[in-house]
Amino acid sequence: LLSQQNAQRLRQAYAAQPKPAATLRKQLAECLGAALDAPGPGALAAPLAGGALAGVQVAQRQFPSEPGITLPAFTLGSADAQPRRVVVYAADEGKLGGAGPEVFNQALTTQDLLLLVDPRGIGESTPLPGRPMTLATLDGKIADFPFTPGFTLEFEAATDALMLGRSLLGAQVSDLVFAARCARLLAPGAKVTLAGSGPRMALAALFAAALDQSIDACWVDRLL
């Protein structure tokens, strides 16, 4: 049998060991290059614009995710109800492109506050090319490409992030974690659900929910 002294040492050694889930979260954040800073004092600045639309209070907002990085967002909710839940929503088509009439209906019929956000590389945060574009081709040459409506430089944004020791996916995960934490500031005491729609945002939402224990639920649609 272990002596009482040895048993105490074993208990202390076990208590000093990092918990497996915490270790996995740390390793995941390091792998993604995700920044998980808490929202600063300026995160909840006054809305840029706002008003009521068919009984739904709509406000246009901006959140400073990281130094020099601002996330465009909208909040929608009933003007007469205290939200019981905040749904942070991001879609591959952008915060408004992916949100149909059912989003407005949900805001009307429930006590949810909806936070529609565009992480980096999505919606309003998508980098746009110049006119014309000058890009390097796979054979090492420089070529001019005509501007095509709808074309974006997601590839350029992704490679720029890699050169900085980050990843575009990691940056998007960081933005969703930050948005979820801002959601708690918008509605203290309310539960937070993270929703990602589309192959990119669904994956980012899953990673964000894995990294931030304060997210109460995660819903994904069209995941690969």
Side-chain angles (χ1 to χ4, degrees):
L1 294 176
L2 290 171
S3 68
Q4 186 175 0
Q5 186 178 12
N6 286 338
Q8 178 64 20
R9 281 203 296 265
L10 281 175
R11 281 193 293 269
Q12 291 174 348
Y14 177 78
Q17 291 295 319
K19 301 297 186 290
T23 301
L24 287 174
R25 280 193 294 271
K26 180 180 178 182
Q27 292 174 343
L28 178 59
E30 291 174 351
C31 179
L32 290 170
L36 306 177
D37 297 331
L44 290 184
L48 301 177
L53 177 64
V56 177
Q57 190 69 30
V58 182
Q60 182 184 10
R61 293 180 174 273
Q62 286 183 340
F63 298 107
S65 176
E66 292 182 40
I69 303 295
T70 300
L71 305 181
F74 280 94
T75 53
L76 295 83
S78 173
D80 303 322
Q82 180 67 24
R84 297 174 300 177
R85 179 177 66 167
V86 184
V87 179
V88 180
Y89 176 86
D92 285 5
E93 296 83 2
K95 60 184 179 301
L96 296 181
E102 64 275 5
V103 171
F104 289 87
N105 292 334
Q106 180 179 354
L108 270 175
T109 58
T110 69
Q111 292 185 14
D112 290 346
L113 175 66
L114 307 181
L115 172 56
L116 314 179
V117 63
D118 281 334
R120 274 168 274 190
I122 298 294
E124 284 188 72
S125 299
T126 303
L128 296 175
R131 296 173 180 263
M133 299 172 290
T134 302
L135 301 175
T137 61
L138 293 177
D139 57 2
K141 298 179 181 179
I142 300 296
D144 291 331
F145 293 87
F147 174 81
T148 303
F151 183 88
T152 62
L153 294 181
E154 182 183 14
F155 172 79
E156 297 296 324
T159 53
D160 287 348
L162 290 174
M163 287 188 286
L164 294 172
R166 303 283 300 275
S167 71
L168 182 58
L169 174 61
Q172 292 168 343
V173 171
S174 302
D175 291 342
L176 289 180
V177 169
F178 185 88
R181 294 177 178 178
C182 285
R184 291 199 175 277
L185 299 179
L186 283 170
K191 292 185 176 297
V192 175
T193 294
L194 184 57
S197 182
R200 289 179 291 171
M201 288 299 95
L203 184 61
L206 285 178
F207 279 132
L211 287 175
D212 191 337
Q213 289 180 290
S214 68
I215 296 173
D216 298 290
C218 182
W219 172 86
V220 296
D221 178 43
R222 297 181 292 152
L223 181 66
L224 287 175

Coordinates of all heavy atoms in Angstrom, one line a residue, residues 126 137 150 156 206:
T126 N -14.2 40.5 -47.7 CA -13.5 39.8 -48.8 C -12.6 40.8 -49.5 O -13.0 41.9 -49.9 CB -14.5 39.3 -49.8 OG1 -15.4 38.4 -49.1 CG2 -13.8 38.5 -50.9
T137 N 2.1 33.6 -62.3 CA 1.5 32.3 -62.7 C 2.3 31.1 -62.2 O 3.4 31.3 -61.6 CB 1.5 32.2 -64.2 OG1 2.8 32.3 -64.8 CG2 0.6 33.3 -64.8
G150 N -17.3 39.4 -59.3 CA -17.4 38.2 -58.4 C -16.1 37.5 -58.1 O -16.1 36.7 -57.2
E156 N -4.8 35.0 -52.4 CA -3.8 36.0 -52.0 C -3.9 36.2 -50.5 O -2.9 36.3 -49.8 CB -4.0 37.3 -52.7 CG -3.7 37.2 -54.2 CD -2.3 36.8 -54.6 OE1 -1.4 37.2 -53.9 OE2 -2.1 36.0 -55.6
L206 N -17.0 25.2 -36.0 CA -16.6 24.0 -35.2 C -15.3 24.2 -34.4 O -15.3 23.9 -33.3 CB -16.5 22.8 -36.1 CG -17.8 22.2 -36.6 CD1 -17.6 21.0 -37.5 CD2 -18.7 21.7 -35.4

